[in-house]
Every structure is written in structure tokens, then in C-alpha cells.
Amino acid sequence: MSQLTSVDLSVRIGGLMLSNPVMPASGTFAEGLDRVIDFNRLGALVTKTITRELRDGNPLPRVVERPGSLINAIGIPSKGVEHFITETLPCYAAYRSPLVVSISAPTAEGFASLAAEMSVPGVAAIEANISCPNIEEDGKAFAMRAEPTAKVTAELRKATKLPLWVKLTPNTGEMPEVARAAEAAGADAVVVANTILSMAIDLKTFKPCLGNIMGGLSGPAIKPIILRHVFQCAKAIGIPVIACGGISTADDAVEYMLAGASAVQVGTATFIQPAAMIAIIEGLEAFCVRREIPRVTELTGGVLIEEADEADLAWLNPAT
Amino acid sequence: MIANDAVNAEYRHLVVRCGDVAAAGAPGQFFQLLCPQPADEQPFLRRPMSIYGADAERRQIEFLYKVTGAGTRGLETLRAGDVIDIMGPLGVGFSLRADWRHIVAVGRGAGLATLAPLAEAARQRGIGVTAILSARRPELVVSADLFRSRGAEVVIVTDSQSTSGPAHVERVLRGLIAQGRCDAFFTCGSSRLMRVQQQLAREFGLAGQVAMEQQMACGLGLCFCCVRDFNVDGAITHRRVCWEGPVFDLMEALP
């Protein structure tokens, strides 16, 4: 029987103290969810991605389900900056949980000016979505390579004093290099990761299941892949990694933290169980009590790898 | 689960016991059902289903569904005594104005189930109802007995009797308008019949509401997957069916 009665769930993420490490993933959270859960219980609140230009989003259908997963091609519908400042921002003023605003723009300069405009009272941090697979041609995004990631992060860093989180894409073979570039250019944390570029075809019609043809895969099915990315990124950088990919239970969150995450974002699970984030917070605390872990931060990077367990990756580079 | 029985060759009637909040669901609102997994299939998302009946006193909620995909094939496996996870009531339902004396409900397909709870709501407010129920064949019509039991007049139109076309339905509606028995249109399930009602509503200055369908994911206005186009003061505007709807002003709806 555990002697531990209370667990310190607080975490520090790039200059921001959070009461616990659980927050929504951008795009899966909006004001209306407050009818189901108490926002004050969340570690942070994360908005849908805001763009400067008005965007309608992609043609329908915008989602298709697959076993244990969802492919979406919503296409970031956005009502622009003014609508966000005057209509959306006031909705969050009543909550204690810090508000993280997700932004996107087609250029590094666009990102920077948008970040500057979003650096207003009520906004606690900026999450730069440099990784959406749905708005650039064929899934190309800044975070596919280190160099454009460094450029856009540096511009963002100059534009805002707020904590800067950079959301990375799993659709690159160079995730640790991209993460290092973001860190070197001044990011306070990275979010690992956005959705996996994917596709589905309807066998009745022979047509793609999505209006946008391709979309981003999310949900429990992608967890082992993103877990590996989190593990690799956490080893590569010193700033916190916020894990995002198929988390639907407290056990998923613990696994990500053991792999190196300092906090977690929950997205698709909310579509199935709208109170999933609350259950995860309670489950995290129960896990720590059970295992006599007084501070949740002790989980971060806690995966035990004996020397003999080190993966032999020589076969990946047969030429050397 | 209290019952899950076939009502005809296509539709099944699901009755569940639920809490007070769920049982207070209003006509036109919907629930998100977490469907059990049928053999060899894995439905991932919840399935939206409009309320067919809600009984606050007995704490029951009813749905009418047609088995068409993985989710409804899962629902079909449920038996009395089983437990199902339902979330709701969700969305904006129908509204009835106190000064209306007689309304007309026009539905087809799943729309017949969506319109059904209007019968009781209208009866309680002393508003008369004419229900025009459209189906491919007479034996596939659902909700007719429910409408009649609440005192509504029921007109059945079918493809097999060549009475379901827009021209015939328009004649029926013009007759009702001429008799002063159409203060407002309520419709769901057919864009052809919706267009007829929009034209008549414009011609005679009548009110109307339409319940729209769209593929959904979250059901809570979070994901923007269920948007449709609406004509709002001449401008095309996206609205979320799950959040701003599923019931919209008839004149703003586009097919």
C-alpha cells in the first residue's frame, strides 16, 4: 500500500508553469467543450490554429475513420486575427489555465507578424504550427527540414517575448535535426508531433475518401510511431518536448513521459470521450500514487535502457 | 437498453433508459452514440443520431435507425439489458412559436425519425400538425402511427405510387396554405422537398426550419468536419451542423 497521499502534478514548460501536464491538441478544442469539462482543471488551453487570412478550409468530406484512427483534412478554417481577438479571446478570460494560441502563416515573415499581433494580454504562449500536412502542397511544411525550421523559429523569436512552442511534423526523416534547429533558433519547447500524412480510398467509388485527397492520421494507431519520435527528440534537445499522438488514457501519457515528454496533448480521444483529458489527469495522479512517485516530472525521460538494450542501428547505414 | 427491434424491412427502434439530462432532449437535437464493434469491423467515431422520442418522466430516450454501415451494424447487435454509451442531447433543435396554430412537417428517409418528436411538442402547445411522410414504398414509411397518435394529420407519399415528386407535394402544400393550415414548415431528409418549401415560404411569407445532416466527428463544434454552406443575407457562410444546427432557418439552407 502506497504511503503517498498527494502528488505534485505541476510542470514547467518553456517559461510557463502548468498545474498539470495535460492539455488539448490544437484543432480538437474549442469554447463549446466547457459544457462537458471544467477548463480550470486542464494544464493549458490550446486554440485551433489562427491564420491572418480568412480560410474556408478544405472541401468535404473532411474526415474518414480507419481502425483505431482518424484521417482529417479540415484545412484550418480561420476567421482571421480580428475575429480571434474580439470574439474568441474573451471566451477564455474567465479561466485560470494558461491560453496557448496556435498560429500559422505561409511565410516566416507572416508567422512573425502574426505572433507579434497575438502577443496580447490573455495569451500565455504561442504554438507555431509549422507542420500542418493539409495546407501546403503535398504535405510540405516548414518542419520537414531543419533549415526552414531555423529560419521561421528565429523570426518568431524576434517577434514575441511570449514562450514559443514549435509544433513539429512526423512526416520527416530528420526530426531530431529539425528539433535541434528549433531549439537553437530560440524555441522554448517543441510539440511532437502533428498528424501523419496519409490517404484512404473508397472501394465502392474508387475515389479518395477525403475531399483534399490526402490528410493527417491521428488516434491510438499512431502512438507507437510518435512515441519513437518523442524518444529521439528528447535525446536530441534540452528544451521540453510536449508529446501529441494518439493519447487516450493515463497509461498512454505515462508512456510518453517515460520516453522523454514533459507534458502531453490530447486530441482525437476528445472526439470519442469528451472528458478524456480529465480522466487522464486523474489517472496520472493515481499512477504516481500507486508507484510512489511524488512529482510527475520524475516520469520524464524515465525509460530504463540498460547498456545491453541499446538498439544496434548499424544495419541502417550499411555503407559505413 | 430497453429495446432494439425492427419496425420494418429497413428501420430499427432503439429505446434506452438514461439520466435526466439525456431524457430532457428536445425535438431536432441529437445524440452521439458509441457503437459496439460488429464482427470484422471497427467503427472508431461516435455516430450522430437524432432524437426519435424523449420521455423525461420515464427517463427514456428513443432512436430510429437504418443499418447502413459499421456503426449501425454494431448497434444492431445490442440486446435489451446491454449498456450503450450515448452523449447528448447536442445541438440546436426545432423551436415552436406560441402564435402558430398549424404547422406542416415534411420528411423523407432518416428525416421521418427526426421530425417525429415535433408531434408531441406541438400537441402540448395546442398547435395542429400535418405530416407529409415520403418513402420509396408505403411499407417503408416510419413515424406515421406516432404522428397520428398525437392527433396529427398524416399524408403518405411514395415513389411506388408516384406521389412523392416535388410537383405533387407542392400541390398538397398549396392546398394546406390555402386552408390556412400552414404557419410554418418543418423539414428533414430531402433537398428536393426542401426547395419546394423554400419557394412556397418565400411566396407566402411563411417561416420554416430544416434539420440538416452531415458526416460528423466530435459533435461538439470542435473539429469543423461537419460544415455546410448557408446563404446568410446573400453571402455563402460555413456553419457547423453539430453546433450551429442541426436545425437551421429554412431560408438560409442550401442543398
Side-chain angles (χ1 to χ4, degrees):
Chain A
M1 189 65 193
S2 171
Q3 298 301 302
L4 198 63
T5 52
S6 82
V7 177
D8 181 1
L9 288 177
S10 66
V11 294
R12 177 175 287 280
I13 305 294
L16 210 56
M17 271 311 281
L18 311 183
S19 62
N20 69 70
V22 181
M23 67 187 90
S26 177
T28 65
F29 181 80
E31 304 90 278
L33 194 61
D34 73 349
R35 298 204 195 167
V36 188
I37 61 171
D38 179 2
F39 286 0
N40 283 326
R41 294 190 63 186
L42 302 177
L45 313 177
V46 185
T47 68
K48 278 180 92 72
T49 297
I50 317 297
T51 61
R52 177 176 305 288
E53 70 278 17
L54 304 182
R55 296 178 56 91
D56 274 343
N58 284 327
L60 275 66
R62 291 178 168 185
V63 299
V64 56
E65 63 176 12
R66 282 295 177 261
S69 66
L70 181 69
I71 310 177
N72 89 78
I74 305 289
I76 310 192
S78 172
K79 291 182 175 168
V81 176
E82 196 189 322
H83 182 270
F84 177 81
I85 300 276
T86 59
E87 303 291 323
T88 309
L89 199 51
C91 299
Y92 294 106
Y95 304 107
R96 288 190 303 273
S97 309
L99 181 70
V100 181
V101 174
S102 171
I103 61 167
S104 181
T107 64
E109 295 71 26
F111 259 106
S113 70
L114 188 53
E117 249 177 284
M118 286 297 171
S119 300
V120 295
V123 178
I126 299 287
E127 180 178 287
N129 179 3
I130 62 168
S131 49
C132 180
N134 291 326
I135 61 171
E136 301 285 328
E137 193 184 340
D138 285 348
K140 291 189 187 71
F142 289 91
M144 288 296 285
R145 291 186 298 117
E147 192 188 331
T149 299
K151 183 169 187 285
V152 70
T153 306
E155 292 290 331
L156 280 161
R157 185 67 291 167
K158 279 187 277 181
T160 181
K161 289 188 165 61
L162 287 176
L164 174 63
W165 302 357
V166 175
K167 189 165 180 177
L168 305 185
T169 175
N171 302 316
T172 173
E174 307 163 16
M175 180 91 97
E177 290 82 356
V178 171
R180 266 187 228 112
E183 179 181 31
D188 295 299
V190 291
V191 181
V192 177
N194 214 311
T195 53
I196 299 176
L197 190 60
S198 54
M199 187 173 173
I201 297 172
D202 186 326
L203 296 188
K204 278 195 210 97
T205 62
F206 283 21
K207 288 180 182 169
C209 294
L210 294 170
N212 190 49
I213 302 174
M214 292 180 289
L217 188 70
S218 64
I222 74 166
K223 197 190 79 178
I225 297 172
I226 306 301
L227 190 77
R228 180 268 296 183
H229 282 300
V230 165
F231 177 67
Q232 289 183 313
C233 281
K235 283 207 296 188
I237 58 178
I239 54 175
V241 174
I242 301 162
C244 178
I247 297 167
S248 44
T249 65
D251 283 359
D252 295 335
V254 171
E255 206 177 341
Y256 269 112
M257 292 188 80
L258 292 174
S262 298
V264 296
Q265 293 188 342
V266 178
T268 306
T270 298
F271 295 173
I272 316 296
Q273 293 294 353
M277 286 186 283
I278 302 300
I280 290 169
I281 294 165
E282 289 171 354
L284 256 183
E285 183 165 28
F287 180 92
C288 290
V289 167
R290 205 161 59 238
R291 300 295 290 263
E292 301 195 48
I293 298 165
R295 282 173 296 274
V296 77
T297 51
E298 290 176 28
L299 290 171
T300 298
V303 59
L304 291 173
I305 296 175
E306 308 292 335
E307 216 157 299
D309 291 344
E310 280 285 5
D312 178 6
L313 297 179
W315 59 272
L316 277 174
N317 297 299
T320 58
Chain B
M1 285 274 321
I2 296 171
N4 185 16
D5 305 316
V7 294
N8 62 26
E10 289 187 340
Y11 280 87
R12 297 180 74 88
H13 182 206
L14 187 73
V15 185
V16 300
R17 180 153 290 136
C18 59
D20 293 334
V21 174
Q29 287 192 300
F30 68 102
F31 278 72
Q32 284 271 69
L33 278 61
L34 196 57
C35 302
Q37 300 206 339
D40 307 322
E41 286 178 299
Q42 296 168 272
F44 180 69
L45 295 167
R46 287 173 180 263
R47 296 298 192 269
M49 210 162 277
S50 58
I51 296 171
Y52 179 61
D55 188 328
E57 216 161 280
R58 293 159 77 187
R59 296 207 302 169
Q60 285 183 10
I61 195 100
E62 300 172 50
F63 305 99
L64 210 58
Y65 68 97
K66 186 173 165 180
V67 178
T68 54
T72 44
R73 276 192 286 275
L75 279 185
E76 198 181 12
T77 66
L78 288 169
R79 297 290 171 261
D82 289 348
V83 172
I84 177 171
D85 177 337
I86 65 172
M87 174 174 82
L90 300 169
V92 177
F94 294 111
S95 56
L96 291 168
R97 256 175 41 195
D99 60 330
W100 287 338
R101 300 319 320 149
H102 202 104
I103 60 169
V104 177
V106 183
R108 185 175 166 94
L112 299 180
T114 307
L115 294 170
L118 269 177
E120 174 63 21
R123 189 190 63 79
Q124 285 175 10
R125 289 164 180 77
I127 299 172
V129 178
T130 301
I132 300 174
L133 309 179
S134 172
R136 294 200 312 282
R137 299 191 302 278
E139 65 271 24
L140 296 178
V141 172
V142 291
S143 303
D145 292 344
L146 190 146
F147 272 108
R148 286 194 193 101
S149 73
R150 303 300 194 275
E153 180 198 7
V154 172
V155 179
I156 289 171
V157 295
T158 67
D159 301 358
S160 64
Q161 296 163 305
S162 304
T163 49
S164 59
H168 180 256
V169 172
E170 184 178 338
R171 277 195 295 279
V172 175
L173 291 173
R174 283 186 182 276
L176 289 166
I177 293 167
Q179 294 167 35
R181 293 204 296 151
C182 181
D183 294 326
F185 294 108
F186 290 80
T187 191
C188 182
S190 165
S191 33
R192 289 199 309 169
L193 298 181
M194 180 180 82
R195 248 191 316 265
V196 170
Q197 293 167 83
Q198 286 174 326
Q199 283 157 6
L200 292 174
R202 193 171 291 117
E203 185 178 333
F204 294 97
L206 300 171
Q209 294 165 31
V210 55
M212 306 294 279
E213 298 171 273
Q214 189 65 286
Q215 182 203 24
M216 289 183 191
C218 72
L220 290 166
L222 312 177
C223 70
F224 285 75
C225 125
C226 67
V227 296
R228 290 186 72 114
D229 287 340
F230 290 86
N231 180 349
V232 182
D233 302 328
I236 302 297
T237 307
H238 273 166
R239 283 182 175 159
R240 294 162 286 184
V241 172
C242 76
W243 193 248
E244 279 99 11
V247 174
F248 295 93
D249 186 292
L250 176 66
M251 301 315 287
E252 294 182 344
L254 294 169

